[in-house]
Amino acid sequence: MILQRPSAARGEVHLDWLHSRHTFSFGHYYDPAWMGFGVLRVINEDTVAPGGGFAPHRHANMEILSVVLSGALTHRDSTGNEGVIRAGEVQWMSAGHGIEHSEYNASADAPVHFLQIWLQPDRLNYAPAYASRPFPPEQRRGRWVCLAAPDGAEGGLPIRQQAWLRAARLQAQARLSAELEPAHRYWLHVASGTVAVGQQRLTAGDALGWVGEHGSLQLQGLADDSEVLLFTLPA
């Protein structure tokens, strides 16, 4: 089964400091057909204006990844972690048995554009944990790079779930493939640019999901610096 999630069909929130598009149900946006995809619960594309941000709030038992596409994001949490992540960097926060954190635009004059991703963990009520790491765009050009993986496999950030998040950056006409196995679900999200998946054209915000499929996933860049995220998830 192949699922299609066009960018324009996502939920939308527009405030004076925030523009957000929700791939799955989140907050005031509710669609019973899109409650998540297996353990993948949230993909929010957030653009936060200078001076704006998310005030301190709590999470528990959720793996939260922030992928900064442009600008800079300031993080603070109740366990003492604090820092700024910039374009090309990825932040992981495992909420564990409970954590309070805030996220603000780190710039006084430019917006920050990032993806906020939540995955359900495979173990509950562990101590909260945090890490961030740069993944330079040039290292992802024409190849998959692991951003997050179970307990830090393949050099990714160490999420507490049997799931992998890989990213690639494609130039126009560049090709890349990935193998699909029925033992996993897969979700492909286009973060920027335009790509072809087989004969299907996808632009920023579009996504496809695969359940019970096998074979080779064929991608081609249709615009320079097109970035894609591929999630490998438990079946």
Side-chain angles (χ1 to χ4, degrees), residues 34-104:
W34 294 101
M35 298 302 295
F37 183 72
V39 301
L40 179 58
R41 181 62 188 82
V42 168
I43 303 178
N44 290 350
E45 181 183 356
D46 294 335
T47 302
V48 177
F54 301 92
H57 55 285
R58 290 192 65 80
H59 296 287
N61 291 317
M62 195 66 70
E63 302 296 289
I64 300 173
L65 296 165
S66 298
V67 179
V68 178
L69 303 177
S70 64
L73 185 69
T74 295
H75 166 93
R76 294 185 180 89
D77 66 47
S78 56
T79 66
N81 295 301
E82 182 175 340
V84 176
I85 57 171
R86 306 179 187 280
E89 297 184 76
V90 181
Q91 172 183 275
W92 162 68
M93 185 180 74
S94 183
H97 55 61
I99 193 170
E100 182 176 272
H101 82 131
S102 64
E103 290 180 306
Y104 285 94

Side-chain angles (χ1 to χ4, degrees), residues 119-233:
L119 297 106
Q120 296 170 329
D122 61 7
R123 65 205 83 163
L124 301 179
N125 298 323
Y126 273 56
Y130 173 89
S132 64
R133 190 174 303 164
F135 293 92
E138 59 271 16
Q139 293 183 7
R140 290 178 258 149
R141 187 160 291 160
R143 62 187 290 263
W144 295 111
V145 170
C146 184
L147 306 184
D151 301 315
E154 299 181 30
L157 290 165
I159 60 174
R160 294 163 170 169
Q161 178 53 265
Q162 297 304 303
W164 288 257
L165 170 57
R166 297 179 176 93
R169 200 171 182 89
L170 296 176
Q171 301 303 101
Q173 306 308 314
R175 296 179 181 271
L176 189 62
S177 64
E179 294 303 313
L180 306 182
E181 300 175 355
H184 297 285
R185 292 174 175 236
Y186 300 87
W187 188 266
L188 181 79
H189 179 91
V190 181
S192 64
T194 306
V195 301
V197 179
Q199 300 301 311
Q200 188 165 359
R201 179 186 177 96
L202 302 179
T203 59
D206 290 338
L208 294 174
W210 292 265
V211 180
E213 296 289 326
H214 66 88
S216 183
L217 172 64
Q218 299 292 327
L219 293 96
Q220 180 180 351
L222 299 180
D224 285 344
D225 296 325
S226 296
E227 184 138 15
V228 292
L229 304 180
L230 179 63
F231 297 84
T232 303
L233 307 165

